[in-house]
Amino acid sequence: AAGPKVLWQKAIGVGFATTAVAEGRVYNLGNSDRKTDTVYCFDARTGQELWKHSYPCPLLPNSYEGGTLSTPTVDAGKVYTLGKVGDLFCLDAASGKVLWHKQLNKELGFALPTWHFSSSALIAGDMLLLNMGTAGAALNKTTGEIIWHNGKGKCGYATPVPFAIDGQPCLAIMGEVTLFVVRQADGKPLWQYPWKTSYEVNAADPIIVGNRMLITSGYRHGCALLEFTAVGAKLLWETKAMAMQINSPIVRDGYVYGFDENVVKCLKLEDGSEQWADRSLGKGALMMSADGRLILTSDKGELVVAKADPAKFDVLARAQVLPRKKCWTAPVLANGRIYVRNAAGDFACVDVGK
């Protein structure tokens, strides 16, 4: 009844960014005073603040609280963060020292979508890849210089997803009104699929399973399963049964788990048929499956662990771990700890190691 032990708690400012964990350090970011973003680095075990880096960024609330959207990316001793108006930083992961900084909206002319940039950085070799511009952009991760881009129009909100076609590294990028598949090396567009959603909110990651791709968006758009080749894709099925506005679905053992707006559901991947639905979590978040267990948060800060069972929503444990405020950010599991945060910036690390 008491729930898991809360190891430490912090106040990190307004936002929806989730957590990166690497080398015993925890990274997240939030907005304070309606005008400043701060990247935080904490000791994963104790919660001790190791460093922080702040820079000017407006809160920009628009039908939500505003604040940070993109999640930090850690690679080879560096941490990359993207602010919502285009401030891309490369920081030393241990000290927080700024190694380089680009303002991608002002310096390079990438157009801002309605709710601003939210892509996290995907690192592949020497490239830093972003869902930015019309259909993605690549920068040199060491210098920040542009390698390629596909136009500077408005982008979608999901992070590029890496996968391979016939052994060739590719990216699936949710654009403003289109799913783009491009070649990773040079950004060459291979094919595209129209996917227009109300208010151009394409925020959920495409999920690749073999030669099939699951895409989903909210506002009653729903989801679709595509079968693809190097030159195009055909629709296998489409349904309104799961319209994920914010988070991304999970596919496990032939079943899809995710939120249909404010109802968590399970669909059969083969045909999109609904298996069950549960309304107890509201517009919550699901972003992972570990050892056959789904890890979710409710929209009021409840942490839930459920069996990934296509027959029923089988809750194994649930506990209130955050204040009862809006919580749309996915939980993160690392080394026996789960990290959770809400829109107000309440950030907690709970012990699930035992």
Side-chain angles (χ1 to χ4, degrees), residues 173-196:
I173 297 173
M174 294 302 297
E176 185 184 30
V177 294
T178 307
L179 164 68
F180 295 98
V181 169
V182 306
R183 198 159 62 188
Q184 180 181 291
D186 55 10
K188 179 185 176 182
L190 299 178
W191 55 266
Q192 61 189 56
Y193 188 86
W195 193 254
K196 179 171 174 54

Side-chain angles (χ1 to χ4, degrees), residues 69-80:
L69 301 175
S70 171
T71 295
T73 300
V74 185
D75 173 74
K78 301 177 178 66
V79 57
Y80 301 90

Side-chain angles (χ1 to χ4, degrees), residues 35 39 57 75 82 85 90 118 124 140 169 173 182 198 206-207 258 268-269 274 287 290 309 311 317 337 339 350:
K35 59 184 180 182
V39 184
C57 185
D75 173 74
L82 178 65
V85 295
C90 174
S118 69
N140 183 296
I173 297 173
V182 306
S198 295
I207 306 296
K268 190 174 183 179
L269 181 63
E274 184 176 314
M287 212 172 178
D309 186 346
R337 306 179 186 98
Y339 301 88
V350 301

